[in-house]
Amino acid sequence: MATIGLTHVRRPRTTAHRASRGVGRTALNLVLVAVAVAWLVPTIGLFITSLRPLGDSTSSGWWTVFTNAAGLTLDNYSKLLSNSTITNSLWNTVFIAVPATVLVVGIAALAAYAFAWVDFRGRTALLIVIIVLLAVPLQTAFIPLARLFGAIGIFGSVVGVVLFHTAFGLPFAIFLLRNTFAQLPYEMIESARLDGASEWQVFTRVVLPLGMPAVASLAIYQYLWTWNDMLVALIFSNSQSQPITVAIQSQLRAFSSNIDVLASGAFLSMLVPLVIYFAFQKYFESAILAGSMK
């Protein structure tokens, strides 16, 4: 008996069908543009305000610049960079964010490799403890750590802020990197070991390069979190070690007379994380694509 193969006949798309799909895409694009504009309006307003003289900012809204753009100037940034309090706070922010990021990523990568590929006694119990620490809020450690830092003489210093961020950044970092490293092929790790590679060589030459997207993403997140932090720095720093977020907050007491400093300082504080994010955006994309391929 002969069998007749049934083939799927694709109906030609009509003009009405193509028009409806085009209208749907146009509507979606308009919604996305509207959302993007809504998100960008505060940033644009802050940037324009940072370029306006103090008199103009206190007498009219920033949107009036579109009818009179002649008053824009860079004097606010010149005054800001000549303000020793602001410049010192910017350096303090760098001295806090960079070490806190390096310590968290370095310690977490080593610990994550041990939890993923090294068999030792109590590994599961210790990993559960680290996971439980993810649920511990920052506020519960303020008073105990403030007393501890005061007893050892680092309260109010950059070192104290760095240690706090490192301690509370490690649980999430270890959990994230451990899950990433554990997804690597078992045969690859064992092959490296059979070839005579030590655990350090397996970590640095096999695991770390393959997990670099996740490591880089963690470093960026940790850096941005530390850079934008104000709560921890407000408690554990003083006037000599305060970061830019605390320095800007202290200027709010005289908002009307310091709006030029506030606007330029806030935009400068926001500019650094944006530059870092867009400079290393490819690592976010690599990490997302790697996760989708598992």
Side-chain angles (χ1 to χ4, degrees):
M1 179 182 294
T3 58
I4 301 175
L6 297 178
T7 58
H8 177 71
V9 179
R10 194 172 186 178
R11 294 182 179 180
R13 296 179 178 177
T14 62
T15 304
H17 179 72
R18 290 194 295 266
S20 63
R21 292 194 62 182
V23 171
R25 291 178 180 177
T26 302
L28 178 61
N29 292 334
L30 290 176
V31 171
L32 294 177
V33 169
V35 172
V37 170
W39 276 99
L40 286 175
V41 164
T43 303
I44 295 173
L46 179 65
F47 175 65
I48 294 176
T49 304
S50 68
L51 298 176
R52 303 183 72 199
L54 177 61
D56 293 346
S57 298
T58 55
S59 61
S60 61
W62 60 267
W63 50 87
T64 58
V65 73
F66 295 108
T67 58
N68 182 20
L72 299 181
T73 178
L74 294 175
D75 291 343
N76 293 339
Y77 288 96
S78 178
K79 295 177 182 178
L80 179 73
L81 296 178
S82 62
N83 188 332
S84 60
T85 301
I86 298 297
T87 54
N88 290 337
S89 66
L90 280 172
W91 282 113
N92 289 335
T93 309
V94 174
F95 295 149
I96 291 172
V98 173
T101 302
V102 172
L103 288 174
V104 167
V105 174
I107 297 174
L110 292 171
Y113 172 76
F115 280 117
W117 295 108
V118 178
D119 189 13
F120 59 91
R121 181 178 297 180
R123 181 178 66 173
T124 303
L126 187 57
L127 181 60
I128 292 175
V129 172
I130 292 176
I131 295 174
V132 171
L133 290 176
L134 291 171
V136 177
L138 295 175
Q139 293 80 1
T140 59
F142 284 161
I143 295 177
L145 286 182
R147 292 180 176 177
L148 176 62
F149 290 171
I152 62 179
I154 61 174
F155 182 80
S157 65
V158 171
V159 176
V161 182
V162 170
L163 291 179
F164 191 99
H165 282 297
T166 302
F168 274 86
L170 280 175
F172 173 75
I174 294 173
F175 178 73
L176 175 66
L177 294 184
R178 184 265 172 192
N179 292 341
T180 301
F181 293 166
Q183 293 176 355
L184 298 178
Y186 174 81
E187 295 78 8
M188 184 180 299
I189 305 299
E190 287 302 312
S191 176
R193 289 171 175 170
L194 291 176
D195 290 340
S198 63
E199 293 296 338
W200 176 254
Q201 290 174 330
V202 173
F203 171 70
T204 55
R205 298 183 181 182
V206 179
V207 175
L208 200 58
L210 293 176
M212 186 55 64
V215 173
S217 298
L218 173 65
I220 297 170
Y221 275 123
Q222 177 67 22
Y223 186 86
L224 297 181
W225 173 265
T226 309
W227 181 279
N228 293 322
D229 169 73
M230 187 181 72
L231 180 59
V232 175
L234 192 63
I235 296 175
F236 289 91
S237 65
N238 56 23
S239 59
Q240 301 299 321
S241 61
Q242 64 182 7
I244 185 64
T245 52
V246 179
I248 293 176
Q249 186 270 343
S250 64
Q251 300 291 328
L252 290 174
R253 299 173 183 174
F255 178 80
S256 59
S257 60
N258 289 341
I259 190 172
D260 52 342
V261 177
L262 289 171
S264 54
F267 187 80
L268 185 63
S269 175
M270 182 181 64
L271 185 63
V272 174
L274 286 176
V275 171
I276 292 176
Y277 174 79
F278 286 112
F280 297 97
Q281 187 179 9
K282 62 179 182 179
Y283 289 108
F284 286 98
E285 297 175 355
S286 300
I288 293 174
L289 291 176
S292 64
M293 298 294 290
K294 298 295 181 181

